[in-house]
């Protein structure tokens, strides 16, 4: 997997996960500050166990947070309100959001099965649909490369290969 | 779950996991230094996805590392050598290690299903069996309270409630 090098020895999967989660947390915290002046909602693409969603609702208590996933299988403490959970495939759910006119000011993209080529292709395929729900100036934090958005330099503390930042 | 307080607001599950994994990594690194003068093997109780095992083999490249779990379901890159993997219930596997005379100088205890009362009872029940495989002066890092060992003060960077340290 991602056996990055640390000095002259490989990084353990424990170190690697710590780097990834730290980058994620720092990126979310940074993005929350960036959008503080812009009205709009938040979109978490990929609920998973709910860790990111839990963090988003902690750092953005005043925002409506929409959450998307094929299934609801998060930790019970992180279950989103029914009205905010979009259960299903990404395409129809993004289309539903776009039809509703949901004004997304911060999106977190975390889809992917760990097969890099497939994950990159999916992210490219979904990018135009994501663009339709974003408000101008909104930010996207992504674990996969997206297309059609303006890359944004992340804070220095975030290893650039771990998370990607875009402005809509 | 463990919604520790951070200042005046609860800690998100992302923050909480980061704290737990950081404590684990710092604790393992510290323990590896502590035992550097003592010959013996390492025992990882609870393979899981193999993250801790991967870290142990990174920081203790010269040691034999025994790994115990009911099933082998780790990340493929972290599969232990067959001779070092003890697949089965903890009691018979610890008895097998004791009968073999395995000299464990560093043990990591990570059993538990997340139901605190059950996990504490299991850790207490297994403690005398763990004692039989440890060499005098060996260290144990545990996510649950163990009985019959001498508690050791952990480095300051490790929140005391997250990981427990014992000397055999």
């Amino acid at each position: 997997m991602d056996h990055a090098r640390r000095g002259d020895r490989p990084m353990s999967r424990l170190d690697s996960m710590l780097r990834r989660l730290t980058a994620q947390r720092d990126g979310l915290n940074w993005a929350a500050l960036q959008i503080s002046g812009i009205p709009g909602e938040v979109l978490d693409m990929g609920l998973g166990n709910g860790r990111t969603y839990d963090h988003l609702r902690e750092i953005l208590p005043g925002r409506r947070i929409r959450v998307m996933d094929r299934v609801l299988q998060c930790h019970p403490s992180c279950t989103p309100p029914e009205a905010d959970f979009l259960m299903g495939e990404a395409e129809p759910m993004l289309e539903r959001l776009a039809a509703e006119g949901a004004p997304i000011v911060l999106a977190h993209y975390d889809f992917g099965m760990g097969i890099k080529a497939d994950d990159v292709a999916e992210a490219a395929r979904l990018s135009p649909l994501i663009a339709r729900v974003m408000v101008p100036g909104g930010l996207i934090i992504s674990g996969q490369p997206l297309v059609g958005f303006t890359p944004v330099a992340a804070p220095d503390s975030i290893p650039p290969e771990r998370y990607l930042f875009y402005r809509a």
Side-chain angles (χ1 to χ4, degrees), chain A:
Chain A
M1 284 268 286
D2 48 356
H3 262 260
R5 311 287 300 180
R6 176 186 50 195
D8 55 348
R9 74 178 188 211
M11 181 179 279
S12 75
R13 290 184 64 241
L14 177 59
D15 282 322
S16 179
M17 180 150 193
L18 270 167
R19 284 246 299 205
R20 187 171 65 74
L21 293 180
T22 302
Q24 187 188 45
R25 182 202 50 194
D26 292 353
L28 295 169
N29 292 354
W30 173 81
L33 284 176
Q34 299 296 307
I35 59 152
S36 61
I38 315 172
E41 303 181 358
V42 177
L43 172 63
D44 189 19
M45 286 173 273
L47 174 63
N49 60 34
R51 218 157 31 215
T52 308
Y53 170 65
D54 192 40
H55 196 72
L56 285 168
R57 66 183 178 178
E58 276 299 319
I59 61 176
L60 294 160
R63 305 268 186 179
R64 181 174 186 184
I65 305 175
R66 314 279 200 137
V67 193
M68 203 175 279
D69 212 327
R70 283 198 186 95
V71 287
L72 178 66
Q73 54 186 6
C74 61
H75 188 273
S77 68
C78 302
T79 308
E82 205 179 335
D84 297 337
F85 185 55
L86 298 141
M87 184 155 69
E89 295 299 317
E91 284 90 341
M93 292 304 122
L94 282 167
E95 273 160 16
R96 202 172 105 185
L97 268 188
E100 238 188 78
I104 305 299
V105 66
L106 175 62
H108 174 249
Y109 183 93
D110 198 24
F111 290 144
M113 300 295 289
I115 301 162
K116 193 62 188 173
D118 293 359
D119 294 345
V120 166
E122 183 183 32
R125 194 180 72 235
L126 295 176
S127 289
L129 278 168
I130 296 168
R132 284 179 56 202
V133 302
M134 299 298 300
V135 301
L139 278 176
I140 309 163
I141 302 181
S142 178
Q144 304 294 341
L146 302 178
V147 295
F149 300 102
T150 309
V152 176
D156 287 345
S157 69
I158 301 173
E161 75 278 14
R162 299 275 160 162
Y163 271 92
L164 301 158
F165 297 80
Y166 300 99
R167 196 173 296 281

